[in-house]
Amino acid sequence: MTSKFVHILGVPFVNTNQKDFINTLQNHIARQERTFVVTANPEIVMHSLEDSQYKQTLAKAQYITADGIGIVKAAAIVGEPLPERVSGYDLMLDLLESAHNNHSSIFFLGAAEEVLQQTVAKAKREYPGIKIAGSHNGFFDWHDHLLPQKIKNAAPDIVFVALGFPRQEQWIGAHIEEFDKGIFIGIGGSFDVFSGTVKRAPEMWQKMNLEWFYRLVKQPSRWKRMLVLPKFAATVIGRKALRK
């Protein structure tokens, strides 16, 4: 029997593929259920080992998906394979398509104001069936309760939270109990990619699982962040060896 969750260094990843997970989220939307989704890469997993409060935040999520080929490879190493990556950006696109077909409402939270407006405009243009419940850029007073109240009043079916790691998970975790319904999902820099501000890796790079390397080539300043990848791999392999 296939396990519902695969644990990587203490983080429970939902054992699913992109298509099935979208169906799962559609069911939550139909039942108007409040749902917290984390799209986690190796950097997030490693941060959870170093920050106990952040790990407690992740524990509030109903679902954590494998956003990164490193997570999929780690699952294979521990002997509990995951079918594929389920990335934040791809989930955003599929949820936009689903919202278009079902006339669901969306709130966009995050990014710079110009990027946010470009994102909302493109979403309206390419997915005319969606309802825009509202939007707010990623620059706000962390302790301002007007923003969560604004979202609660709008009662969106989906809230895209593009504040970047770890802020997006922390913000959702701090406020999720205030809402009655809605899919709250952290999607990192997806607004930047969707708006065209940042280019996503070509499909060939994605198929070769080298999207991370493409980002590094385009943004060399990310090299320090990339150092977490070998550390993550070594930790996964080390933990497996200790269990033998």
Side-chain angles (χ1 to χ4, degrees), residues 49-69:
L49 295 179
E50 300 163 359
D51 186 330
S52 60
Q53 287 189 326
Y54 185 73
K55 188 167 186 177
Q56 289 173 11
T57 295
L58 295 186
K60 294 182 179 181
Q62 278 75 36
Y63 303 104
I64 301 176
T65 72
D67 187 346
I69 191 61

Side-chain angles (χ1 to χ4, degrees), residues 34-48:
R34 181 180 63 215
T35 309
F36 178 7
V37 180
V38 174
T39 58
N41 58 17
E43 191 175 5
I44 284 179
V45 174
M46 294 305 290
H47 189 68
S48 74

